[in-house]
Amino acid sequence: MYRQFLRPSPWPQGRRLVRPSCAPTPEPSTRLYLRASLLLPGIRGPRLGFVLAGLLHGQSKVPVPVDETSEMVKTTTPMIDPFGRHITYLRVSVTDRCDFRCVYCMTENMTFLPKKDLLTLEEIDRLASAFISRGVRKLRLTGGEPLVRKNILWLIKSLSHHLGDGLDELTLTTNGSQLERHANALADCGVKRINVSLDTLDAIRFRAITRRGDFDQVMRGIDAANGAGLKIKINAVALRDVNEEEFDELIRFSHDRGFDLTLIETMPMGDIDGDRTEQYLPLSLVRARLSERWTLKEIPYRSGGPARYVRVAETGGRLGFITPLTHNFCESCNRVRVTCVGTLYMCLGQEDSADLRAPLRASEADDLLHATIDEAIARKPKGHDFFIDRGAKPSVARHMSVTGG
């Protein structure tokens, strides 16, 4: 029933680890994970972690079950919430850190989580794989800024193995600051489409909104992503008296390049050193204004997220609206979010959560993890409690950068 696995040194003749072209040099624990995955083809996730645990603790021999009866039973039961909604979309925040400090997202002097509290990349891989086995078809990596996470390309490459085998799409949301460096690697790793947050086309205003972003750097990143063949959707948060005169220009910029554009209402999440009512611009008003200058035709297109789309007749491009306050999208919600510390939020606009890190680390098998997921999905609420009012505290205390945008 068991075979004995000796330490992977020296290498078996004729076999060597070939690092994926999309990935930077991994950290030591990741190199060991990759080495073990090569030496033990077909063994992944918790069983491979079992092998690594023995290696890291100095054991010369680690029993590895090869009998099918010793395999963890793969859970394939779909996730369905109390309202009959199938959960097919997972958003995973890989870090709460960001190289910007956008005024609608966080405070200028932000305190981030200790790095030691974050899930390892291997744990995120295992966690996401568990959700994919339960019917998740779309996986989005978020942050913070996901591309500032060290060795993030290793994780993306590993997760890409699910594409065509349960997973339809692997994508990410980025501020664009790291795209010039990573665009080609992302394409090599199986990413086909990305969202880029861009609230203005004015460099001075961009600096004011992000507090520290480099507009030209983001523009070069967008050009690099476009050149790498990635499909791009521009996300712009609508901000009263800040960028509300720019939406026409953003439509032209996006559609001239073949990009979709989505406008988003500001969300009352976390303290931002100011009153959000001064920022809030209802998209119902924005759409009415745009309709005076553009022909907006309703279309049934859906990207898997909450945006409702129209086609702009004059450009032929798609324009989306995400309206958590003026017209919530809860009735068709198919999403859950996992933070970088393994906290599962069943709803963006509610505080109820489940700790997935504890069951993830309690056993090399995923039985406890799946049981915790099942219990959490059974509590998924019908909708969020977002509201915005002058002087009121944010509807949700945590920042968007912690939850994952």
Side-chain angles (χ1 to χ4, degrees), residues 58-280:
Q59 297 178 17
S60 61
K61 296 183 179 182
V62 180
V64 181
V66 295
D67 182 346
E68 288 300 317
T69 61
S70 65
E71 286 275 8
M72 177 188 68
V73 178
K74 185 178 181 181
T75 305
T76 57
T77 307
M79 297 175 291
I80 304 175
D81 75 6
F83 306 95
R85 298 171 296 193
H86 287 246
I87 308 305
T88 59
Y89 184 3
L90 175 66
R91 302 172 71 107
V92 180
S93 173
V94 298
T95 179
D96 66 324
R97 295 172 184 267
C98 187
D99 47 352
F100 292 177
R101 300 290 186 273
C102 294
V103 296
Y104 53 80
C105 184
M106 61 179 71
T107 62
E108 185 167 7
N109 298 311
M110 194 72 176
T111 300
F112 295 111
L113 295 167
K115 291 183 179 180
K116 63 180 178 60
D117 291 348
L118 272 59
L119 294 179
T120 67
L121 295 181
E122 292 86 355
E123 287 173 329
I124 296 174
D125 184 22
R126 177 182 163 194
L127 188 103
S129 297
F131 274 95
I132 294 167
S133 77
R134 302 293 300 277
V136 162
R137 312 289 298 185
K138 180 176 179 179
L139 175 60
R140 180 178 298 279
L141 302 181
T142 67
E145 169 49 46
L147 292 179
V148 302
R149 175 75 189 257
K150 185 178 180 181
N151 290 328
I152 186 63
L153 292 172
W154 176 89
L155 175 65
I156 296 171
K157 182 64 176 179
S158 184
L159 291 171
S160 71
H161 294 141
H162 294 288
L163 290 169
D165 186 22
L167 188 65
D168 294 335
E169 184 176 18
L170 173 61
T171 185
L172 70 152
T173 296
T174 174
N175 64 26
S177 67
Q178 308 300 312
L179 278 179
E180 185 178 17
R181 183 158 58 105
H182 292 310
N184 286 319
L186 289 172
D188 291 342
C189 288
V191 175
K192 304 296 183 185
R193 186 169 67 94
I194 60 173
N195 291 356
V196 180
S197 300
L198 180 67
D199 305 312
T200 178
L201 295 173
D202 180 273
I204 296 175
R205 186 173 293 141
F206 180 87
R207 184 74 174 189
I209 292 173
T210 64
R211 293 190 175 113
R212 59 184 63 186
D214 184 333
F215 178 76
D216 291 336
Q217 181 182 9
V218 171
M219 289 296 103
R220 293 194 302 270
I222 291 174
D223 288 342
N226 194 31
L230 297 174
K231 293 183 179 179
I232 297 171
K233 179 165 76 76
I234 300 296
N235 286 344
V237 176
L239 301 169
R240 181 183 295 277
D241 297 330
V242 177
N243 64 353
E244 61 182 308
E245 302 302 323
E246 286 195 70
F247 299 143
D248 292 331
E249 189 176 354
L250 281 166
I251 289 173
R252 295 187 188 96
F253 170 85
S254 301
H255 293 177
D256 285 352
R257 290 161 177 78
F259 306 162
D260 290 348
L261 170 66
T262 295
L263 302 179
I264 306 172
E265 288 177 342
T266 185
M267 299 187 190
M269 297 183 66
D271 177 42
I272 57 168
D273 295 333
D275 189 339
R276 269 201 177 83
T277 57
E278 297 176 359
Q279 298 178 344
Y280 175 55

